[in-house]
Amino acid sequence: MKKRLMVLIALLATASYAWAGDTAPTPLTNRDAITLVQEHANFLWTLVAACLVFFMQAGFALVEAGFTRAKNVINIMMKNLMDFSMGSLAYWAVGFGLMFGVSKSGFVGTTGFFLSDYTPGGDPWILAFWMFQVVFAATAATIVSGAMAERTKFSGYLMYSVIISALIYPIFGSWAWGSLLNGSGWLEKLGFIDFAGSTVVHSVGGWAALAGALVLGPRLGKYTKDGKVTPILGHNIGLAALGVFILWLGWFGFNPGSTTTADKSIAMIFVNTNLAAATGCVAAMIVSWIKFGKPEVGMTLNGALAGLVGITAGCANVSPTSSIIIGLVAGTVVVYSVLFFDKIRIDDPVGAISVHGVCGAWGTLAAGIFDMGGFSASVVAVQLIGIAACFVWTFGTAWTLFVLIDRTMGLRVSPEEELEGLDICEHGGNAYPNFEVHHYGKGSGDASPSGAGVPMRAALKKEAPAQP
């Protein structure tokens, strides 16, 4: 039976030449036919995985929209749309070359700009690989959007989104992943483990989000003069929940797709990804239940995302049992991290800094701690070096970028525009035209515990400090 199958594969592969109008010089051997079928399967799996990761853009858009106020939904959808559209062009022109071009120094690629490494009739793998990588670049840029929601100028947003996709993300990516094509990064030479991007993608997005939130300052009415936190509630938790489910599905392309190979190794990556997400979700629910007296939905949704981010680095080199531990820690950490950033008055409407920055760092460290090859202090040390390098590079460059934008074209809308809502002021529209949008009413957008909002006008008059 096996021999007949080999013959059939060889015949099909040979026939494919005739279908394409080519002539096979000689019949393919069984070995050649199997190699050809495997190569085609690799292309197909990589591009299907790219489609799943692209669909995560919809998940991010829904999570951010659901966790924020109705008066800003158009703005959020526009930002997510432009993240991918403008980011694709920036990554094609500059980012891909910096990330995967030839790199003698180990710090940055120097070839492959404008997809110049591909010529008509050349190796089509460059195209498939570019498609898979551009959806990752868009993810890193989109993460920043959530932490800066509801108060950022659209023009300023477009500027920093392009620079993250063209420069900040690709340069760190070249350090850790450059050899996946033509590069050679200094971190990967040390043995840095980040299979699908807990640090390369998620912490880059999270630390850039932290810089942006600091430069912007909190939303009006978020904090009182005496330091208390005023919850600003999301307008549609159904959208947020649907977004999390979409992201969970997309992660089955994000992590297993990073093999770029259609083989049996993806089975364990699928299982690890799912177990970590499920455990993170349950852990966040239990912790929030104990802490707030009720199972808080925002924290629970972010717990699933925290587990997914946490397992992304080690999904291919840890066991299913270890993935449960990784998810358990991530789901617990994300609750306390969100509360910590609120306590120090860093306003992050969707918990992006905690989910992606903090849990991305945890996942990268865990990939070294729980490595199935055995625990090694030197491996853990390399993981810590990678985590630190990511923070220094990303936070430093992003902070500089946001300050420059703020001092030139402006980063934050006026208080009046923030109160009115970015949909009207920035885009001249209303996401819910058949319903009254209470611009000054109860709010939205947090991963913080549910609670009664306060009228924004009252908060401004009585308690809220003046904003830049």
Side-chain angles (χ1 to χ4, degrees):
M1 183 66 182
K2 185 176 180 181
K3 185 175 181 180
R4 290 178 182 176
L5 180 61
M6 298 293 189
V7 172
L8 178 60
I9 290 173
L11 289 172
L12 290 172
T14 303
S16 68
Y17 282 96
W19 183 263
D22 297 327
T23 302
T26 55
L28 292 175
T29 65
N30 289 347
R31 183 183 298 275
D32 290 339
I34 292 169
T35 299
L36 184 62
V37 170
Q38 179 65 58
E39 182 181 6
H40 288 181
N42 294 345
F43 272 76
L44 180 62
W45 167 236
T46 299
L47 292 172
V48 167
C51 292
L52 287 170
V53 180
F54 168 74
F55 193 41
M56 290 174 72
Q57 288 293 126
F60 281 118
L62 292 176
V63 168
E64 187 179 342
F67 274 151
T68 51
R69 285 166 287 191
K71 64 185 181 180
N72 297 309
V73 170
I74 291 175
N75 180 256
I76 286 161
M77 295 301 169
M78 284 290 290
K79 289 190 300 181
N80 279 266
L81 182 62
M82 288 301 104
D83 273 332
F84 190 77
S85 299
M86 295 185 68
S88 291
L89 296 174
Y91 196 69
W92 161 77
V94 180
F96 186 70
L98 292 176
M99 192 164 178
F100 294 109
V102 174
S103 175
K104 295 181 179 179
S105 66
F107 282 89
V108 66
T110 57
T111 64
F113 303 108
F114 302 96
L115 267 179
S116 57
D117 284 346
Y118 175 76
T119 55
D123 182 6
W125 177 248
I126 295 174
L127 301 179
F129 186 75
W130 181 88
M131 194 65 230
F132 186 71
Q133 292 300 328
V134 74
V135 292
F136 274 58
T139 297
T142 296
I143 289 166
V144 184
S145 171
M148 300 176 66
E150 303 202 287
R151 65 237 198 246
T152 305
K153 280 187 177 182
F154 188 63
S155 56
Y157 180 84
L158 294 178
M159 178 63 69
Y160 78 70
S161 179
V162 166
I163 293 176
I164 288 172
S165 297
L167 298 174
I168 296 176
Y169 164 74
I171 289 176
F172 182 79
S174 73
W175 301 351
W177 288 352
S179 67
L180 293 178
L181 196 62
N182 297 319
S184 179
W186 67 272
L187 264 179
E188 58 185 341
K189 287 180 180 178
L190 295 177
F192 183 60
I193 303 170
D194 191 3
F195 184 76
S198 284
T199 285
V200 175
V201 179
H202 294 283
S203 282
V204 164
W207 301 143
L210 174 60
L214 281 169
V215 174
L216 268 179
R219 288 168 291 173
L220 297 174
K222 175 66 178 179
Y223 304 108
T224 64
K225 290 182 179 179
D226 58 3
K228 292 181 180 179
V229 178
T230 302
I232 302 179
L233 307 181
H235 87 284
N236 193 326
I237 203 67
L239 288 182
L242 178 59
V244 169
F245 280 116
I246 290 173
L247 288 169
W248 197 325
L249 171 65
W251 240 284
F252 293 134
F254 203 99
N255 288 358
S258 293
T259 61
T260 63
T261 304
D263 63 16
K264 295 180 288 187
S265 69
I266 65 175
M268 187 180 75
I269 299 174
F270 264 91
V271 170
N272 284 348
T273 300
N274 192 66
L275 286 175
T279 309
C281 188
V282 172
M285 179 194 69
I286 293 172
V287 171
S288 69
W289 202 335
I290 293 170
K291 192 161 187 66
F292 310 125
K294 298 288 183 181
E296 210 281 318
V297 64
M299 291 293 192
T300 305
L301 291 171
N302 268 343
L305 299 181
L308 288 163
V309 170
I311 196 58
T312 296
C315 58
N317 74 295
V318 304
S319 69
T321 300
S322 294
S323 72
I324 290 176
I325 298 171
I326 291 169
L328 175 67
V329 174
T332 302
V333 165
V334 75
V335 176
Y336 289 99
S337 179
V338 166
L339 296 177
F340 168 76
F341 283 112
D342 251 353
K343 186 176 181 179
I344 62 174
R345 299 172 69 90
I346 296 176
D347 184 16
D348 179 359
V350 303
I353 301 166
S354 300
V355 169
H356 300 279
V358 175
C359 290
W362 155 243
T364 304
L365 179 62
I369 294 173
F370 298 104
D371 186 2
M372 286 190 296
F375 178 82
S376 168
S378 61
V379 170
V380 172
V382 170
Q383 296 302 97
L384 290 171
I385 291 171
I387 292 167
C390 178
F391 180 83
V392 171
W393 163 255
T394 305
F395 183 82
T397 54
W399 172 275
T400 303
L401 170 64
F402 290 128
V403 169
L404 287 174
I405 294 173
D406 189 47
R407 293 181 180 179
T408 52
M409 62 192 302
L411 189 62
R412 183 167 183 150
V413 298
S414 69
E416 294 76 17
E417 290 172 322
E418 184 176 343
L419 286 170
E420 186 68 19
L422 303 186
D423 288 0
I424 293 291
C425 299
E426 292 278 80
H427 307 285
N430 185 346
Y432 301 97
N434 296 322
F435 299 92
E436 182 182 359
V437 177
H438 298 282
H439 298 295
Y440 305 104
K442 293 181 180 180
S444 85
D446 240 65
S448 300
S450 299
V454 296
M456 294 299 289
R457 282 186 175 181
L460 281 170
K461 290 180 179 178
K462 296 179 181 179
E463 299 172 307
Q467 298 293 332

